[in-house]
Amino acid sequence: MHTEERTFIAVKPDGVQRGLIGEIVKRFEQKGYKVIGLKMLQVTDEQAKAHYAEHEGKPFYPRLIKYIQSGPIVAMVIQGYNAVAGARHIMGSTNPDTAEVGTIRADFAQVMEYNIVHGSDSVASAEREIKIYFNDNELFTEGKCMSELVIESLDAEV
Ligand SMILES: Nc1ncnc2c1ncn2[C@@H]1O[C@H](COP(=O)(O)OP(=O)(O)O)[C@@H](O)[C@H]1O
Ligand SMILES: [Mg+2]
């Protein structure tokens, strides 16, 4: 049986500062993924270190931690079939210079260090990263679809 996946996406501080929040959210929504959580926040030291733990010790790590805290981010959780790999495909590879044209990073960024968007690289990473930024009660999976609501509204008018 096929199931939907959840993944953690962030518009990084440079994306927020450049006014690209809507553009980035749009790209995931137009694919058909559901946004089930979304907020703007200032990343704390604790969150930054937890998020990028796998990169600790690498030459770019100190600048990465500084970058992710250089302004607010827009954090979101999106859900859909194959959402983890699908979202990475929409984002493009880490280096915007060689990312496929049409991806977010190729279209809006120039260098690896400032690549405007984050997306989890596996289902396990997604579960881990979602917990760093969201409580369960901040994720909204319930809700009637619009067509049901329209019928309900019309029926209510009899
Ligand atoms: N060699 C590098 N130089 C500068 N920044 C880097 C480098 N490698 C990675 N980064 C930064 O660290 C982030 C996390 O790296 P990584 O997990 O490898 O990429 P991705 O974000 O595509 O999953 C990248 O998105 C980028 O902002
Ligand atoms: Mg990564």
Side-chain angles (χ1 to χ4, degrees):
M1 202 177 80
H2 293 91
T3 54
E4 292 196 327
E5 291 174 358
R6 288 176 179 189
T7 190
F8 174 70
I9 302 290
V11 182
K12 293 178 174 179
D14 51 337
V16 173
Q17 282 164 39
R18 289 175 53 202
L20 294 171
I21 299 167
E23 174 66 39
I24 293 173
V25 175
K26 184 194 85 175
R27 294 208 172 201
F28 296 108
E29 281 194 315
Q30 74 185 10
K31 175 79 176 177
Y33 299 140
K34 267 182 293 204
V35 177
I36 62 165
L38 184 142
K39 61 183 163 185
M40 183 181 268
L41 64 114
Q42 173 65 44
V43 176
T44 64
D45 289 342
E46 207 179 10
Q47 285 172 321
K49 284 177 190 154
H51 182 164
Y52 287 122
E54 65 175 308
H55 296 303
E56 199 183 343
K58 294 183 185 168
F60 62 85
Y61 177 78
R63 289 175 65 87
L64 175 59
I65 295 297
K66 202 170 154 199
Y67 162 45
I68 203 65
Q69 297 185 278
S70 62
I73 67 163
V74 169
M76 64 189 128
V77 179
I78 64 171
Q79 182 170 309
Y81 167 66
N82 200 33
V84 172
R88 296 275 294 185
H89 198 203
I90 289 168
M91 285 161 44
S93 55
T94 311
N95 187 345
D97 216 17
T98 50
E100 207 179 327
V101 171
T103 62
I104 296 170
R105 285 167 166 174
D107 289 359
F108 297 106
Q110 295 179 38
V111 290
M112 183 132 70
E113 195 171 332
Y114 301 115
N115 58 9
I116 77 167
V117 66
H118 168 83
S120 311
D121 63 8
S122 67
V123 172
S125 300
E127 290 307 314
R128 194 184 71 81
E129 292 169 2
I130 289 168
K131 285 198 187 82
I132 296 170
Y133 293 100
F134 286 90
N135 295 317
D136 282 348
N137 64 4
E138 293 174 308
L139 301 178
F140 301 90
T141 48
E142 302 298 323
K144 291 187 178 177
C145 75
M146 207 54 219
S147 54
E148 275 179 68
L149 291 173
V150 167
I151 297 298
E152 215 176 79
S153 153
L154 294 170
D155 286 349
E157 281 171 20
V158 285

